[in-house]
Amino acid sequence: MTRLPHQAGPAYDGSFVPSVQGLRGIAALSVLMDHFYDMPKGGMYDIPNPGFLPPLWAWLQSVINVGGHGVELFFMISGFLIPASLVRHGSLPRFFFDRVLRIMPVFVVLHLALFAIGPIVAYKFFRGIDLPSYLAIFTANLFFVQDALGLPIAQQNAWTLTYEWAFYIWFALTFSMWRSGGRLLTAPLILLGVACLLHWPITAFFCIGMLFSATGFRISIPGRLGLIAGLACGAAMFASLVLFHPFVGCCPASCCSAWRLPRSRASARL
């Protein structure tokens, strides 16, 4: 079993972090609203059907559409919590076993249901797919490698799990090699991380979380002024992601993180 050095102290005590849960709530609500208004209902038919709720004014619809970028907040939170979670588990097998238990049960149930029922109800995703293609798409989606193999994603809302699992594996391997003394061996992994960062800029938000997990730098703005500053940073992050490059959105996201994340690197039982 691969053991990881464990640092004693409150930094890895697994305590509850209210501010992180607040950011999770904001991210989840923004993504949920975007899905309600933009996710098509006509999955079995080729009938235009914009979403689950009635259409809104164009300007309000545009604002809600921005909510889909709440996934960047989730990535930032993962980057902040996963380092502490890995150290708290003490070994790579324990860490990945916990990841599997937290993510895979619900995903696998939905995955099996989709591939079992979808062809029966003539879900359009399965139209024109022969048996070899069906098996290839089933397996690739089960292990989150559909993008790498150039295959379509089955559960549209599960695309973020591909990024999450890639981050878990990359960080766990890099961290364990670095801490075990094989620092030269970490160079290819670090270069791989940089290449992924340039190819998929959205992964930069994992880096923001890791940065604030590793440092004690925080911005303390109490009271209403702090609330206004946090909201402004969050709005600027969402707007930057829509209007500019994801790297531009990293600037207000960093300010938002510095204001909202706790000084301790305590793991929130992720």
Side-chain angles (χ1 to χ4, degrees):
M1 178 181 293
T2 304
R3 300 291 302 178
L4 296 174
H6 184 78
Q7 297 182 8
Y12 302 105
D13 62 0
S15 62
F16 181 80
V17 183
S19 60
V20 170
Q21 306 308 318
L23 286 175
R24 274 177 170 165
I26 293 172
L29 182 61
S30 64
V31 172
L32 181 64
M33 290 299 295
D34 177 57
H35 284 175
F36 266 123
Y37 278 99
D38 278 349
M39 185 184 297
K41 292 181 292 185
M44 291 187 292
Y45 312 101
D46 296 317
I47 301 174
N49 204 330
F52 290 98
L53 299 177
L56 301 170
W57 298 291
W59 65 271
L60 184 56
Q61 184 71 55
S62 299
V63 172
I64 292 177
N65 289 347
V66 175
H69 288 289
V71 295
E72 281 86 344
L73 278 178
F74 281 121
F75 291 165
M76 190 167 61
I77 293 169
S78 291
F80 179 77
L81 294 176
I82 285 299
S85 179
L86 178 61
V87 173
R88 176 170 57 82
H89 281 85
S91 72
L92 295 184
R94 288 200 192 103
F95 171 75
F96 282 112
F97 181 73
D98 184 67
R99 295 294 89 208
V100 169
L101 284 183
R102 287 175 179 268
I103 294 174
M104 295 305 291
V106 174
F107 173 82
V108 170
V109 169
L110 294 176
H111 183 76
L112 294 177
L114 175 63
F115 277 83
I117 301 174
I120 297 175
V121 299
Y123 184 61
K124 64 182 181 181
F125 177 82
F126 295 99
R127 293 180 186 174
I129 296 181
D130 55 19
L131 181 58
S133 298
Y134 175 92
L135 294 175
I137 295 172
F138 176 90
T139 305
N141 277 269
L142 182 62
F143 293 100
F144 307 105
V145 294
Q146 69 282 344
D147 290 340
L149 299 178
L151 296 173
I153 184 170
Q155 296 187 49
Q156 294 296 321
N157 295 334
W159 67 269
T160 58
L161 293 179
T162 300
Y163 288 88
E164 290 281 353
W165 274 112
F167 171 67
Y168 298 157
I169 295 170
W170 174 85
F171 180 82
L173 293 178
T174 304
F175 180 81
S176 60
M177 284 188 180
W178 180 269
R179 295 299 294 270
S180 63
R183 300 190 176 183
L184 290 178
L185 297 177
T186 62
L189 288 172
I190 293 175
L191 291 176
L192 175 62
V194 173
C196 291
L197 184 68
L198 296 176
H199 192 271
W200 295 286
I202 194 175
T203 57
F205 287 83
F206 288 111
C207 299
I208 295 174
M210 288 190 294
L211 173 66
F212 286 100
S213 179
T215 67
F217 175 76
R218 299 293 185 271
I219 298 174
S220 179
I221 307 177
R224 294 183 178 179
L225 182 60
L227 177 61
I228 295 173
L231 292 174
C233 289
M237 184 197 81
F238 278 80
S240 299
L241 288 169
V242 173
L243 300 174
F244 307 109
H245 195 273
F247 287 162
V248 177
C250 289
C251 297
S254 298
C255 295
C256 184
S257 298
W259 173 74
R260 284 299 296 165
L261 292 176
R263 292 184 181 278
S264 170
R265 292 188 300 168
S267 168
R269 289 292 178 189
L270 184 65

